[in-house]
Amino acid sequence: MDKVGLAVCYDTKNFGSQLQVLATVKMVEELGYDSEIIRYKKKLTPRFILQTIPRLMDVSFIKVKLAAKKKKKVIKRYPEVYKNVTMRNERFDGFVKEYFTNLSKPYNGWETLVKETARNYNLFLCGSDQLWLPHNLGSHFYTLEFAPDNKPKIAYATSFGVSDIPSRYRTGFTKFLKRFQALSTRELAGQKIIKDLIGKTTQVVCDPTLLFDADGWGKMIPDRRVVEEPYVFCYFLGTNEDHRKAAEEFKNKTGLKLVTCPFLDNFIERDLKFGDIQMFDMDAADFVNLIRHAEFILTDSFHGSVFSILHHKRFLTFNRFHAGVNSRNSRIDSLCTLLGLSNRRYDGDVMAVQGLIDYSRVENRVNILRNESIEYLRTALETTRIDK
């Protein structure tokens, strides 16, 4: 049996990221392939330093690192919050141990990664998530640059996270994209980027989490009620104050309690008192179950929107990022456009979340996209096999 080496972001502290990896692993398995999640452990070597130098000149990369450092520093000023966030991080790690049983041994350093993965895998697959954000290019891992030229390379639903590639990155992107035997992207904007850079028309496929319906997710994530009373699941990763005010307005008008997950991507002092039930002791399985049993969902998260759709919930999606050329709203834009759900975008009226959704129509679109996406992956895996 062919063995697929997966370059996926499995150990990040993000529910959606972990769930899309789980879906990728399960679908590759269902299509009849053995897979292993590649664990690359960076090692301080002259080569690694040379690879890292360009990233240190990237404003976006520096901002991300400084924001993470600042968040950790600020949280430590609040002992109870620090304790709770630490507990949640341990739950993230626990999910990895429970659900990702196909982890490779650690490949320590770039040279080891290149040498041993060439021997251990027949083909390579990267995706999904925003692995191709411009400031991530410097790691050279999720671009499969470590994989040998003579081994097939597949991208499934890999996202650029932006609608345009800055000029200073275009040469690097063009170079690694040309090495792929099968390319697909999660967004319409990504399809346009690839066409622009290498002249190839690629397929827009669904996020891995959409490869399974609610029943499929029920088999992966057992159903259990996390919060007993009726509630609104308010899942905000961004920092927008007005979004929180809107959620509180909805609470005041309906009497439903707000369940929140504070301090995931950012520390916001406002979130110290935002929400009636603040969730810390939770993992990605609990995230799915909080959506399953919510009365309504208010979210600025792509995967918060996806799982709301999969479980036929009434939801509103808020823009986490400011609009613009390099806005990272493109994946939600594509999702709503492809599924005919543009009216579920928040436009200032939070009470619109109560509007009914014709999920029979939505399901028809999801099924078409799901079937086309599974067929893309099946064909990509089959036609790129080197032992045919």
Side-chain angles (χ1 to χ4, degrees):
M1 181 184 290
D2 285 331
K3 192 168 190 177
V4 184
L6 301 176
V8 290
C9 194
Y10 71 94
D11 59 350
T12 187
K13 303 297 188 283
N14 181 282
F15 300 124
S17 293
Q18 290 192 333
L19 291 166
Q20 61 88 14
V21 171
L22 177 60
T24 300
V25 170
K26 291 294 185 183
M27 183 51 65
V28 169
E29 180 182 288
E30 286 196 6
L31 291 174
Y33 293 80
D34 186 18
S35 72
E36 198 166 73
I37 295 173
I38 300 171
R39 288 198 291 169
Y40 169 39
K41 302 297 181 182
K42 295 171 184 176
K43 190 175 179 181
L44 192 61
T45 63
R47 183 187 183 99
F48 176 75
I49 293 171
L50 286 173
Q51 287 180 334
T52 303
I53 287 174
R55 303 184 84 182
L56 299 179
M57 309 297 175
D58 187 297
V59 175
S60 298
F61 177 75
I62 296 300
K63 281 184 177 179
V64 169
K65 293 299 180 184
L66 289 177
K69 191 172 183 179
K70 180 181 178 181
K71 173 192 167 188
K72 190 172 182 179
K73 183 178 180 181
V74 173
I75 284 178
K76 284 187 175 180
R77 297 176 190 165
Y78 301 85
E80 191 62 28
V81 172
Y82 181 74
K83 175 186 173 183
N84 286 331
V85 170
T86 299
M87 173 176 59
R88 187 164 59 203
N89 287 340
E90 289 172 353
R91 293 293 306 276
F92 274 114
D93 295 336
F95 186 87
V96 171
K97 292 177 182 177
E98 181 176 355
Y99 284 89
F100 300 140
T101 57
N102 63 332
L103 295 176
S104 76
K105 67 176 185 179
Y107 296 109
N108 297 306
W110 183 261
E111 287 75 15
T112 301
L113 177 72
V114 170
K115 181 180 178 181
E116 297 195 14
T117 57
R119 183 171 61 242
N120 292 342
Y121 309 108
N122 302 92
L123 59 158
F124 297 84
L125 185 147
C126 70
S128 161
D129 225 343
Q130 299 180 78
L131 301 183
W132 290 348
L133 274 168
H135 68 251
N136 284 343
L137 189 63
S139 74
H140 304 282
F141 176 67
Y142 297 115
T143 55
L144 301 186
E145 290 170 76
F146 63 90
D149 291 334
N150 65 340
K151 293 286 182 77
K153 288 163 281 293
I154 300 168
Y156 181 80
T158 315
S159 171
F160 295 89
V162 295
S163 55
D164 189 49
I165 302 299
S167 57
R168 65 184 180 277
Y169 292 111
R170 294 175 73 85
T171 299
F173 270 91
T174 300
K175 183 178 179 181
F176 83 75
L177 285 171
K178 285 183 174 179
R179 299 183 72 237
F180 279 80
Q181 282 66 46
L183 278 167
S184 67
T185 183
R186 190 174 61 187
E187 290 106 22
L188 298 167
Q191 183 186 52
K192 183 178 180 297
I193 287 171
I194 294 172
K195 179 69 173 178
D196 181 42
L197 290 177
I198 64 173
K200 186 179 284 188
T201 299
T202 53
Q203 187 168 333
V204 175
V205 295
C206 65
D207 184 84
T209 52
L210 282 164
L211 291 173
F212 297 90
D213 60 14
D215 289 339
W217 277 105
K219 294 173 184 176
M220 286 186 274
I221 305 289
D223 189 350
R224 95 178 170 88
R225 192 164 185 108
V226 179
V227 175
E228 291 300 325
E229 58 195 298
Y231 61 91
V232 179
F233 187 34
C234 189
Y235 186 64
F236 291 147
L237 298 177
T239 61
N240 194 298
E241 173 82 10
D242 290 336
H243 296 172
R244 287 153 175 80
K245 288 180 179 178
E248 288 172 340
E249 175 192 344
F250 187 75
K251 169 196 166 179
N252 292 335
K253 289 183 177 180
T254 63
L256 291 168
K257 289 188 176 181
L258 298 181
V259 173
T260 62
C261 302
F263 317 123
L264 278 163
D265 279 12
N266 302 279
F267 177 87
I268 309 159
E269 191 169 358
R270 173 81 158 77
D271 284 355
L272 289 169
K273 297 181 179 179
F274 176 59
D276 301 290
I277 301 172
Q278 295 187 329
M279 296 298 303
F280 291 98
D281 188 10
M282 65 176 291
D283 61 11
D286 294 321
F287 169 80
V288 174
N289 278 313
L290 283 168
I291 289 177
R292 277 178 178 151
H293 295 284
E295 302 298 315
F296 303 96
I297 292 97
L298 303 174
T299 185
D300 61 5
S301 155
F302 173 79
H303 285 108
S305 304
V306 165
F307 280 94
S308 297
I309 294 166
L310 287 172
H311 292 92
H312 293 190
K313 311 303 292 191
R314 284 183 281 179
F315 72 100
L316 276 184
T317 299
F318 296 67
N319 274 345
R320 193 189 326 170
F321 306 100
H322 294 297
V325 173
N326 281 324
S327 167
R328 288 167 61 183
N329 296 319
S330 62
R331 56 183 179 162
I332 289 178
D333 294 338
S334 289
L335 178 72
C336 291
T337 299
L338 289 168
L339 301 185
L341 288 168
S342 294
N343 64 338
R344 306 313 293 189
R345 305 296 290 276
Y346 173 69
D347 63 0
D349 179 16
V350 71
M351 303 310 293
V353 72
Q354 294 178 307
L356 297 176
I357 301 172
D358 181 2
Y359 269 113
S360 62
R361 178 182 56 82
V362 174
E363 275 298 317
N364 287 336
R365 295 195 182 199
V366 171
N367 285 332
I368 291 171
L369 184 58
R370 178 182 293 133
N371 292 336
E372 289 176 347
S373 300
I374 292 173
E375 187 56 32
Y376 161 82
L377 186 55
R378 177 187 288 109
T379 301
L381 289 166
E382 177 63 30
T383 58
T384 59
R385 288 175 58 183
I386 60 176
D387 63 345
K388 298 194 296 288

